[in-house]
Amino acid sequence: MKNSHVNDPQAIRRLLSTPGRWAVVGLTNNPSRVAPSIARFLRDELSMQIIPVSLDAQNVMGEQGYARLADIPGPIDVVDCFVNSSKVGGIVDQAINVGAKAVWMQLGVIDHEAAQRAKDAGLDVVMNTCPKIEYPFR
C-alpha cells in the first residue's frame, strides 16, 4: 500500500470550478466549528450544492441533513470530510460504495490507506487541505 499521497492540482481545479453536489460529512449548525464556514464558501462563492451529513442528520443552512452517504438521494460528486483521521476510512469506504466521484479530506484529515482505496476505485482524492486554501488555484 502506498503511503505518499500527492494532491493533483488539476483535480483540485476541476473539483472547485465545476458546480456539483458536495456531501459535507461533519457539517453541523455549531458556529464554533470550521465546517459551516467552508460549506457556506462552497455554496455561496463556488455555486456547489451542499448536502449535510452527520450522525444526527441535522438540517444545516436550510438543507436536508442525512446520517449516512447511502441515505442521500441522487449522485454525489464530492464527499468533503470534516472528521477525525481515525474515522475517515469508513467515510471513504461509504463514498466508494455510493459511487461518489471524489473525496476531499480537510486540513489535518490524513489517511493514506483510505486515499489509496479511493484512488484504486477511480475517485479523485484530495487530502490534508481546504477548498478555501486552494481557491483561487495555486
Side-chain angles (χ1 to χ4, degrees), residues 94-113:
Q94 286 183 49
I96 293 167
N97 289 336
V98 300
K101 297 176 186 168
V103 173
W104 190 300
M105 294 182 235
Q106 284 291 331
L107 199 59
V109 181
I110 301 167
D111 184 329
H112 292 282
E113 290 78 17

Side-chain angles (χ1 to χ4, degrees), residues 59-106:
N59 292 347
V60 182
M61 297 170 26
E63 299 294 337
Q64 170 68 48
Y66 298 91
R68 301 174 311 135
L69 295 176
D71 298 337
I72 299 170
I76 300 169
D77 295 306
V78 181
V79 176
D80 190 4
C81 303
F82 284 92
V83 297
N84 188 289
S85 295
S86 66
K87 297 180 180 178
V88 78
I91 302 301
V92 169
D93 292 339
Q94 286 183 49
I96 293 167
N97 289 336
V98 300
K101 297 176 186 168
V103 173
W104 190 300
M105 294 182 235
Q106 284 291 331

Side-chain angles (χ1 to χ4, degrees), residues 9-138:
Q10 292 179 338
I12 291 171
R13 179 181 300 263
R14 184 175 59 257
L15 294 174
L16 295 180
S17 63
T18 306
R21 298 181 81 217
W22 285 55
V24 183
V25 180
L27 180 57
T28 72
N29 287 302
N30 183 343
S32 68
R33 306 291 301 225
V34 73
S37 67
I38 300 306
R40 193 167 284 105
F41 169 77
L42 289 167
R43 182 190 69 186
D44 297 348
E45 302 296 323
L46 303 184
S47 301
M48 304 302 173
Q49 180 184 355
I50 300 303
I51 306 163
V53 180
S54 63
L55 292 176
D56 60 356
Q58 248 182 71
N59 292 347
V60 182
M61 297 170 26
E63 299 294 337
Q64 170 68 48
Y66 298 91
R68 301 174 311 135
L69 295 176
D71 298 337
I72 299 170
I76 300 169
D77 295 306
V78 181
V79 176
D80 190 4
C81 303
F82 284 92
V83 297
N84 188 289
S85 295
S86 66
K87 297 180 180 178
V88 78
I91 302 301
V92 169
D93 292 339
Q94 286 183 49
I96 293 167
N97 289 336
V98 300
K101 297 176 186 168
V103 173
W104 190 300
M105 294 182 235
Q106 284 291 331
L107 199 59
V109 181
I110 301 167
D111 184 329
H112 292 282
E113 290 78 17
Q116 190 62 50
R117 286 196 307 274
K119 284 197 269 188
D120 290 347
L123 281 70
D124 285 321
V125 178
V126 179
M127 185 166 62
N128 192 29
T129 192
C130 176
K132 220 167 180 179
I133 292 171
E134 298 296 332
Y135 188 88
F137 316 109
R138 298 207 245 169

